Amino acid sequence: ILLTGHSLGGCQATLCAYDMSRWVLPTVKRQMISLHAYNRAQLDSLQISCYTFGSPRVGGPNFAHAFKQVVPDSQRIVCDGDIITSGPPVYWGYRHVHHENIIDSTGTIRVEPRLIEKQFSLKKRNNPLAHKINSYVDVVKKSFSPHVSEEGLLGLLKKKYGLKEE
């Protein structure tokens, strides 16, 4: 199950992924076992993935640690310069929960950039226009290839998650 969202939707996807991993997924697996309606590969393949776009921090350090334990496949996609992704402040106790991937205007992806990289090669997070959904669509498309159509990108995602082409 892939949960995703932009901005507040990213926060909601994060909370939903945590709840589903803690409560729904174990219940479904127990039910499948009790009904003998599974094979081991099916049971093992059931997992929650969470990919957010432009999401602010969601919880504190305890939540971040617990989230990483139950939702190991999570990514936080950030458009370089997006102001929303820098709040709420760390000094209020908030932490990000996902692996950070910053995509700049050329489509270059920086995975878990270090502080020095953020200071010298990335923009300051003070641009409200970088938070718009269109900014995210543009940089994600560029990160795949400047020649991939929206249909082609959708096809790549469907293939990655084992969904059938229509």
Side-chain angles (χ1 to χ4, degrees):
I1 299 172
L2 174 63
L3 297 164
T4 188
H6 172 259
S7 195
L8 177 59
C11 294
Q12 293 171 327
T14 300
L15 295 172
C16 184
Y18 180 77
D19 281 348
M20 288 184 73
S21 293
R22 289 288 312 269
W23 310 111
V24 176
L25 205 54
T27 302
V28 168
K29 287 180 178 182
R30 280 194 304 274
Q31 190 70 16
M32 287 174 71
I33 290 169
S34 72
L35 296 174
H36 304 290
Y38 74 97
N39 66 42
R40 194 76 201 155
Q42 286 176 321
L43 207 56
D44 291 340
S45 70
L46 288 176
Q47 72 171 23
I48 304 291
S49 298
C50 185
Y51 288 61
T52 64
F53 299 84
S55 179
R57 295 178 182 97
V58 177
N62 292 338
F63 176 75
H65 178 73
F67 182 90
K68 289 176 184 176
Q69 298 298 312
V70 297
V71 187
D73 182 22
S74 65
Q75 301 292 326
R76 184 168 60 90
I77 292 88
V78 176
C79 188
D80 192 17
D82 185 349
I83 191 170
I84 300 301
T85 60
S86 63
V90 173
Y91 59 82
W92 285 359
Y94 286 87
R95 301 289 184 273
H96 283 297
V97 297
H98 311 285
H99 301 288
E100 183 177 43
N101 300 279
I102 299 176
I103 308 176
D104 68 18
S105 60
T106 67
T108 302
I109 303 171
R110 291 184 176 83
V111 178
E112 296 287 342
R114 304 254 184 232
L115 181 61
I116 192 100
E117 195 174 4
K118 288 181 180 181
Q119 291 296 318
F120 294 109
S121 69
L122 296 170
K123 297 176 185 170
K124 297 240 183 273
R125 294 200 179 163
N126 59 6
N127 183 358
L129 295 177
H131 185 66
K132 294 174 69 174
I133 191 70
N134 290 343
S135 298
Y136 279 88
V137 170
D138 290 344
V139 297
V140 168
K141 283 167 71 174
K142 286 179 184 176
S143 72
F144 275 92
S145 170
H147 307 292
V148 174
S149 66
E150 286 185 30
E151 292 79 22
L153 182 58
L154 185 59
L156 288 170
L157 291 170
K158 285 181 178 181
K159 184 177 178 183
K160 160 78 172 126
Y161 287 98
L163 302 172
K164 293 181 180 177
E165 293 286 333
E166 296 172 9

